[in-house]
Amino acid sequence: MDTDIHGDKRTGLSLYMKYPPGTHCFTTELTHPSAMASIATKLLHHLALLLFLAQLTNSALVPKITNLDQPALKPLAPSTYIVHANHLAKPPQFASLEHWYHSMVATHSPRAVADNPSRILHTYDTVMHGFAVQLTGDEARSMSGAEGVTGVYEDRVVHHLTTRTPGFLGLDPGFGAWRDTDSGDGVIIGIVDSGIWPESPSFSDRGLGPVRSSWRGSCVDAGDFNASLCNNKLVGAKTIGMGDDGSASPRDTFGHGTHVASTAAGSEVPDAGFLMFARGTARGVAPKARIAVYKVSVMKMAEIAAGIDAAVKDGVDIISLSLGDVDPRPFYIDALAIAVFGAERNGVFVALAGGNDGPRASTLINSAPWMTTVGAATVDRQFLANLILGDGQVLTGQSFYTSKARQTTMTPLLLSSCLGGDLTPEETDGKIVVCMDEAGAPSGGDQVRARDANGAGPAGIVVVDSSGWLQDGTVGLSVAVDFTGPTIVLSLTEGKKLRAYMVSSPHPGASFSFPCKTVIGENRAPVVATFSSRGPNPIVPELLKPDVVAPGQNILAAWTGIDSPADARNSNYQVASGTSMACPHVAGVAALIKKKHPSWTPAMIRSALITTAGTLDNTDREILDNAVLHVQGSRATVATPFAAGAGQVRPQLAMDPGLVYDAGARDYVDFLCALNYTTEELPGGAAGLNYPSFVVVFDGRTGVRTLARTVTKVSEEAETYSVVVKAPEHVKVIVMPTTLEFKEPKERKSYTVEFRDEAPGNRKTGWDFGQISWENDKHRVRSPVAFQWKN
């Protein structure tokens, strides 16, 4: 959300919340057929994948697909399984699909027919067809062989992937995208997440007219949630399934869904902030867009797919999905990928979090081409505090400590890993505990407890976030969840100075300085956050992901009205970090684009976001990557497209991109078919998809790759574009033609690009990057290019 401070357009931040680990990416590549395979075999492979998506596009031709080649099904205990069915194969004797589904369960389960209805948990009829049901492993195996069943997938747990933001992104009430789109008024964003806190002022409908007549959603009356709490801002609220407490209430008791929803489309709220920090007017990215919430309380894939299905059926325009699978699968057996494909096929744009498992390579999740995958970056705001060492050095970090102090009493320092209760309250009593292990690795202050019953405990805590070089990238602002005393978080750079002092001094000590104020515009931003998951794409390396980055570190947005589980200092607005926070920013920008261009496809919106993204920060230098890696040396380095995608999303430019790369269901069918072929067997391969970025692989067998793209003119006036190429040394890029002339609206032009490796014998394996831009005096349509050399 955005906060205006002293009349300037500013955003707030306030509480870091670390979500559970495990957002790892699937890394197994699909197997290519042998180069010696017969033409007939190739055609069968092609047809199998073609028919898979043909079902999703309402074709009557349906392949028999099961997941029996996947990990063994559980043999005894019942689990939830998603049964993916071909609705067109329903036998005529069944009056409805549900009758057919119940018959399947009765046939392939030994339990009584009367028990079947209670075991079908969800049915899907919009973005996909089928149902979720409780089955044993043997029953699921039997079900997978049923006529009309195309796949049976065991349910999986997903995780939340936890704004100075609209203002930092260039949004202003007085001009530009907000004025041109009336702040997204009328567009409906579906939030599939942990629910909503409807009483938050961020969901006020003051000044909003009624929702459009075509809207089919509603609000439930369940438990502690009354349908009257909905209004012309919150236009839908329902729970998918039942919560752990058996309630169908869509009320958010966790905070994540409320935070995400207000980031995307929160109404204007004066004097919002966390404690005394980041005070100002809070706004979402599309502050007049409407919100429909689909609460998924147990975070299972069956519920997520059902939430997407319900949102599309209700008529949302945009979906924000800040959730991710801990074990992603190939797209064709991934229920989330299939459901999002169905949403795109129905014209609904879906933004998804890219994961929080960075900075390791190939950790990205939600990476299908019909998904808009979002990474996280920092903003130009800090909450500075100082640690003054005994030798006079002043180290700068960040803190939410609320007691102002020019300088506290000099206090002994005590080094600890702060893990596993290695120190008792008596050992820490009267000392400042430095949370940093012997190797200088990051450690969690969450294991340092407050004073015990006898009053013993630390006088303060210093947490060294050694995952990031820069203090504006620190994310541990509330790691000391049980400690509300003096606390400061330092970056690795400052942490090294602290370690050197503690090693050299026989009696190291320090004091704190807390100005308790918010500092705007003094730090370099955006910087890619360390935690943001990185490419290359672990499933399809030929598809460049993430697509873009957006603000996702220390983001202020609405919270629940109950005591926060993450911080005893409860506030109706909190700060959180993660790609979960970046994702709704892009969903909000997509809502603005949808308002201005209601006929655009999701692929056109995604293209506009990618080709107009910025690669420079607020100092007009290249965006940095804050990740600490052994290969980086001693400072932050420039972010590659594997960290930043095409760059940071720029809403104003995305409203008028000039040209777009469009794609539809047929294009994605061809993309999946291409995964069964080597580049030689199918020219272009997966990289031949009409995507706004390029991946070029030189594998030693050939030093030339040729790819084709088609662009569609979306500006009104006639325009001519010239190509501008930037490539690594020893790579020659030939674009034909070199100019594109457009005279009519929606006119399409195609071009080819030949990439030639002119020094293959001298090139080591690895990656390098470049770009291809189509430019004129008004528009610059830029596509990042990734080059891979492998043996």
Side-chain angles (χ1 to χ4, degrees):
M1 303 185 69
D2 184 64
T3 58
D4 298 343
I5 299 178
H6 304 303
D8 295 329
K9 281 59 188 176
R10 310 299 190 195
T11 308
L13 311 175
S14 84
L15 161 76
Y16 170 65
M17 184 171 170
K18 187 176 178 76
Y19 293 103
T23 54
H24 300 293
C25 293
F26 186 78
T27 56
T28 302
E29 295 182 1
L30 297 177
T31 303
H32 295 296
S34 168
M36 300 301 293
S38 67
I39 294 177
T41 301
K42 291 181 185 179
L43 290 175
L44 287 174
H45 279 292
H46 190 285
L47 184 61
L49 280 173
L50 174 63
L51 292 179
F52 160 70
L53 275 185
Q55 179 201 346
L56 294 180
T57 52
N58 293 325
S59 169
L61 300 174
V62 183
K64 171 63 69 174
I65 301 176
T66 69
N67 69 335
L68 300 184
D69 59 337
Q70 299 305 307
L73 301 177
K74 294 181 180 179
L76 297 175
S79 297
T80 300
Y81 288 85
I82 299 171
V83 180
H84 188 193
N86 171 24
H87 64 295
L88 299 175
K90 178 183 71 67
Q93 66 265 32
F94 296 106
S96 68
L97 288 172
E98 287 202 19
H99 290 157
W100 181 36
Y101 298 157
H102 288 309
S103 175
M104 285 187 195
V105 177
T107 301
H108 299 280
S109 167
R111 281 167 276 180
V113 174
D115 188 39
N116 290 337
S118 66
R119 289 183 8 245
I120 291 185
L121 306 176
H122 310 286
T123 58
Y124 313 108
D125 60 8
T126 303
V127 299
M128 59 188 290
H129 287 84
F131 56 96
V133 62
Q134 288 280 326
L135 299 170
T136 66
D138 289 340
E139 292 169 348
R141 187 175 296 276
S142 174
M143 183 78 74
S144 68
E147 189 68 28
V149 172
T150 60
V152 177
Y153 321 120
E154 187 172 4
D155 199 8
R156 303 189 303 281
V157 175
V158 298
H159 291 280
H160 296 104
L161 304 173
T162 313
T163 130
R164 178 122 150 134
T165 54
F168 181 59
L169 294 176
L171 293 168
D172 188 284
F175 63 90
W178 273 350
R179 186 189 63 186
D180 295 346
T181 66
D182 194 15
S183 299
D185 190 13
V187 177
I188 300 175
I189 302 177
I191 307 292
V192 182
D193 212 290
S194 65
I196 195 79
W197 192 265
E199 293 88 354
S200 170
S202 285
F203 308 124
S204 166
D205 65 350
R206 182 168 56 89
L208 296 179
V211 66
R212 61 180 184 240
S213 60
S214 61
W215 173 241
R216 298 180 292 275
S218 62
C219 292
V220 302
D221 240 328
D224 59 358
F225 192 96
N226 192 299
S228 64
L229 293 170
C230 288
N231 53 29
N232 289 327
K233 164 62 80 171
L234 181 59
V235 300
K238 60 184 65 173
T239 297
I240 308 300
M242 302 292 283
D244 291 334
D245 58 357
S247 170
S249 168
R251 181 175 294 280
D252 181 14
T253 58
F254 181 37
H256 192 270
T258 300
H259 199 282
V260 166
S262 61
T263 299
S267 299
E268 181 177 306
V269 181
D271 195 31
F274 175 67
L275 306 174
M276 64 180 62
F277 300 98
R279 307 304 303 189
T281 298
R283 299 179 180 89
V285 175
K288 290 188 179 180
R290 316 308 169 92
I291 297 168
V293 173
Y294 303 84
K295 180 179 178 178
V296 285
S297 54
V298 297
M299 293 300 137
K300 292 292 187 70
M301 190 61 71
E303 284 197 359
I304 306 302
I308 297 171
D309 192 76
V312 174
K313 187 186 304 181
D314 285 346
V316 302
D317 303 295
I318 310 291
I319 292 177
S320 183
L321 195 63
S322 290
L323 304 168
D325 194 345
V326 297
D327 183 24
R329 311 287 183 91
F331 304 142
Y332 59 89
I333 57 169
D334 183 346
L336 178 58
I338 294 171
V340 173
F341 177 86
E344 173 127 346
R345 183 171 57 88
N346 280 273
V348 177
F349 174 94
V350 186
L352 297 102
N356 296 339
D357 208 21
R360 293 185 297 112
S362 293
T363 52
L364 201 78
I365 63 173
N366 297 328
S367 60
W370 48 86
M371 296 172 164
T372 300
T373 310
V374 185
T378 64
V379 295
D380 63 342
R381 178 176 51 209
Q382 299 172 298
F383 311 100
L384 298 181
N386 295 321
L387 183 70
I388 305 168
L389 306 184
D391 63 359
Q393 289 187 79
V394 178
L395 307 182
T396 302
Q398 297 197 72
S399 178
F400 284 132
Y401 188 60
T402 57
S403 295
K404 287 186 178 182
R406 182 182 298 272
Q407 184 172 351
T408 62
T409 303
M410 191 66 61
T411 305
L413 293 171
L414 177 64
L415 184 65
S416 170
S417 68
C418 298
L419 298 173
D422 62 336
L423 294 175
T424 66
E426 289 74 18
E427 291 174 303
T428 65
D429 190 35
K431 300 180 180 68
I432 297 174
V433 178
V434 177
C435 293
M436 176 173 58
D437 69 18
E438 292 302 319
S443 53
D446 55 310
Q447 297 297 324
V448 178
R449 301 305 177 193
R451 296 182 178 276
D452 64 13
N454 297 319
I461 295 175
V462 177
V463 176
V464 177
D465 178 11
S466 59
S467 64
W469 291 111
L470 310 173
Q471 77 252 10
D472 48 289
T474 57
V475 295
L477 294 182
S478 66
V479 293
V481 293
D482 288 334
F483 187 80
T484 57
T487 308
I488 189 172
V489 181
L490 302 178
S491 67
L492 176 63
T493 304
E494 299 294 82
K496 286 184 173 182
K497 298 175 185 177
L498 174 58
R499 172 173 285 278
Y501 163 70
M502 294 184 70
V503 169
S504 64
S505 174
H507 303 290
S511 62
F512 294 102
S513 174
F514 295 110
C516 298
K517 64 181 181 180
T518 303
V519 179
I520 300 291
E522 293 188 7
N523 60 308
R524 206 173 155 178
V527 173
V528 177
T530 300
F531 60 80
S532 187
S533 289
R534 305 306 206 266
N537 191 328
I539 299 179
V540 185
E542 296 88 349
L543 182 70
L544 186 58
K545 291 282 184 171
D547 292 308
V548 293
V549 293
Q553 186 136 359
N554 295 336
I555 305 303
L556 178 77
W559 202 249
T560 67
I562 59 177
D563 290 340
S564 168
D567 198 315
R569 300 165 297 180
N570 185 44
S571 174
N572 291 328
Y573 288 81
Q574 295 276 12
V575 168
S577 293
T579 54
S580 279
M581 281 59 254
C583 174
H585 283 84
V586 172
V589 177
L592 299 177
I593 299 174
K594 188 69 174 178
K595 173 69 175 184
K596 186 172 183 179
H597 305 286
S599 65
W600 281 16
T601 67
M604 294 169 75
I605 296 174
R606 180 164 48 252
S607 175
L609 293 167
I610 292 173
T611 62
T612 62
T615 60
L616 302 180
D617 62 21
N618 57 354
T619 68
D620 288 329
R621 292 177 288 178
E622 292 184 280
I623 293 173
L624 293 178
D625 186 338
N626 195 44
V628 174
L629 298 173
H630 295 301
V631 298
Q632 285 185 333
S634 60
R635 60 187 179 87
T637 60
V638 171
T640 74
F642 289 155
Q648 173 143 294
V649 62
R650 294 191 287 184
Q652 186 60 47
L653 294 181
M655 300 296 113
D656 180 23
L659 305 174
V660 295
Y661 295 81
D662 198 6
R666 177 71 242 184
D667 300 280
Y668 299 129
V669 169
D670 292 340
F671 167 83
L672 288 182
C673 292
L675 296 181
N676 257 7
Y677 295 86
T678 65
T679 303
E680 289 77 15
E681 292 167 334
L682 187 67
L689 177 70
N690 197 42
Y691 210 72
S693 58
F694 296 80
V695 177
V696 181
V697 180
F698 298 122
D699 58 10
R701 288 176 289 178
T702 177
V704 179
R705 300 294 185 205
T706 301
L707 299 175
R709 294 290 192 270
T710 299
V711 289
T712 302
K713 177 178 175 292
V714 292
S715 57
E716 293 299 323
E717 67 278 4
E719 287 188 293
T720 299
Y721 290 82
S722 299
V723 72
V724 178
V725 174
K726 180 181 179 181
E729 187 179 8
H730 302 307
V731 174
K732 185 176 183 179
V733 180
I734 302 172
V735 181
M736 293 296 293
T738 58
T739 61
L740 298 175
E741 185 177 358
F742 297 88
K743 297 181 180 179
E744 302 295 331
K746 300 182 181 179
E747 188 175 355
R748 294 162 61 90
K749 295 282 186 179
S750 297
Y751 66 93
T752 61
V753 189
E754 180 182 280
F755 302 93
R756 185 178 297 272
D757 183 10
E758 297 195 326
N762 300 323
R763 173 67 67 173
K764 296 181 180 180
T765 58
W767 292 86
D768 210 336
F769 306 92
Q771 62 186 38
I772 295 174
S773 301
W774 291 99
E775 302 180 7
N776 58 29
D777 291 341
K778 187 175 181 179
H779 295 110
R780 182 172 185 248
V781 186
R782 190 185 68 87
S783 295
V785 184
F787 298 88
Q788 183 186 25
W789 287 264
K790 64 181 183 179
N791 296 325

